[in-house]
Amino acid sequence: MEILDSIEAMRAWRRSLPTNVRIGFAPTMGNLHAGHISLVDQAAIDSDKVVASIFVNPMQFGANEDLDAYPRTMEADLEKLEAAGAAAVFTPTIDDIYPEGVDHHTAVEVPGLTNVLCGASRAGHFKGVTTVVSKLFAAVQPDVAAFGAKDLQQVLVIKKMVRDLLLPIEIVTVPTMRESDGLAMSSRNGYLTPSERQLAPHFSQTLANCAEAIRTDHSAIETALEAAREALNAHGFKIDYLEARKTFDLSTATSLDEEIALFGAVFLGKTRLIDNRVISSS
Ligand code: PAF
């Protein structure tokens, strides 16, 4: 596996490949778990060679968020990517990506989809994501890129960016990987204390129950959401949001007349967890 630790090295490697080699891409912020490896696996199905990236992107963290604490486990990550069969890993530095600093950098912004849910709670977050993903796309030049469904809003935002900017990249959504008790895999799960870790699966279970209630009675979205909010409060979660939205444009879902999804973000102690459940009308 090639380790490409600068934009220059990434570009040189990319140029060395025959033009008919199809490149799959799995962008990550490191601290890899099985969910990330499933991105590599999916990218491999759709391409000839997979590039993964590891870059903890300062631009997508708010001032009071966990940028400094975010787990950095480069050595273990490289071993996992090698075992997963990645052809190369792109590990640019912050100076490489933001030579004049984050505040003086051109930004890519997707309107609409980014004002709600995580976009409303985390000002500037999606601007940071779309800017860095644009840069990673420009350096890697993938034919296909894989993103995890756990961050469903992020996937919808990236898909719109790719459509709007005419980027010739296919975006594939990879199903959420879960622990055996249902908790969605996330690098942030490592912040949970043992007692919080025991409580955490109630979040995914409550979302699953709420989705089932809506499937059974399409007209009762608000009632089901209220019951789910009460259940989460009773388990000690602090709710950031729990909402049902259309996956088409993230507008509020009023009935199950098209595909909708439940989106949730909660705090358990200091740890913010997100999860979602898609509910199809068919
Ligand atoms: O999903 C993530 O890990 C990040 O948001 C991404 C896409 C790697 C951009 O930094």
Side-chain angles (χ1 to χ4, degrees):
M1 183 178 72
E2 299 284 338
I3 298 173
L4 309 165
D5 61 3
S6 65
I7 292 173
E8 211 186 331
M10 178 68 238
R11 290 211 152 127
W13 182 81
R14 187 70 180 86
R15 271 197 307 270
S16 74
L17 301 175
T19 47
N20 61 349
V21 171
R22 199 172 145 80
I23 294 293
F25 182 39
T28 82
M29 296 205 300
N31 193 235
L32 304 183
H33 50 65
H36 297 110
I37 301 305
S38 71
L39 304 184
V40 175
D41 293 344
Q42 183 60 54
I45 293 171
D46 296 329
S47 68
D48 302 312
K49 281 183 192 291
V50 175
V51 179
S53 64
I54 298 176
F55 179 68
V56 182
N57 174 32
M59 194 172 177
Q60 69 189 75
F61 287 79
N64 301 318
E65 293 184 350
D66 55 341
L67 174 62
D68 292 338
Y70 201 84
R72 275 112 169 137
T73 53
M74 185 63 87
E75 225 168 282
D77 292 347
L78 294 177
E79 277 171 24
K80 288 177 190 169
L81 290 172
E82 176 123 55
V89 55
F90 178 38
T91 60
T93 62
I94 292 183
D95 283 349
D96 233 353
I97 297 289
Y98 300 112
E100 293 169 54
V102 167
D103 295 338
H104 297 278
H105 199 280
T106 301
V108 176
E109 279 193 80
V110 172
L113 296 176
T114 56
N115 300 335
V116 296
L117 305 172
C118 282
S121 313
R122 302 183 65 192
H125 169 67
F126 285 115
K127 181 166 95 172
V129 170
T130 43
T131 300
V132 83
V133 170
S134 305
K135 296 199 71 158
L136 295 170
F137 282 174
V140 175
Q141 294 178 41
D143 297 284
V144 56
F147 290 83
K150 184 180 79 75
D151 299 303
L152 182 56
Q153 186 178 11
Q154 171 171 277
V155 178
L156 299 173
V157 168
I158 300 284
K159 283 187 171 169
K160 177 165 167 56
M161 177 185 84
V162 163
R163 271 197 317 273
D164 287 357
L165 299 182
L166 307 179
L167 303 179
I169 302 169
E170 184 193 338
I171 304 299
V172 289
T173 312
V174 182
T176 304
M177 294 281 285
R178 295 182 182 278
E179 305 290 352
S180 55
D181 56 14
L183 178 65
M185 288 187 187
S186 164
S187 298
R188 291 191 167 98
N189 293 349
Y191 298 154
L192 297 168
T193 63
S195 59
E196 289 167 350
R197 178 62 189 81
Q198 290 224 307
L199 279 174
H202 287 297
F203 177 37
S204 53
Q205 192 52 57
T206 303
L207 280 185
N209 295 344
C210 184
E212 196 44 45
I214 293 171
R215 261 185 220 110
T216 316
D217 181 358
H218 297 185
S219 63
I221 294 181
E222 216 23 73
T223 316
L225 285 173
E226 237 358 275
R229 289 186 190 113
E230 272 173 34
L232 289 173
N233 285 329
H235 284 298
F237 295 93
K238 187 167 161 283
I239 300 171
D240 180 355
Y241 60 77
L242 178 64
E243 296 181 33
R245 298 223 167 217
K246 295 177 189 165
T247 54
F248 169 62
D249 60 0
L250 292 184
S251 62
T252 300
T254 46
S255 71
L256 194 51
D257 48 7
E258 51 203 313
E259 188 179 84
I260 70 170
L262 295 179
F263 291 86
V266 294
F267 284 93
L268 196 47
K270 291 192 175 121
T271 307
R272 187 170 183 276
L273 303 173
I274 66 169
D275 202 349
N276 63 75
R277 297 278 167 165
V278 174
I279 311 169
S280 296
S281 51
S282 53

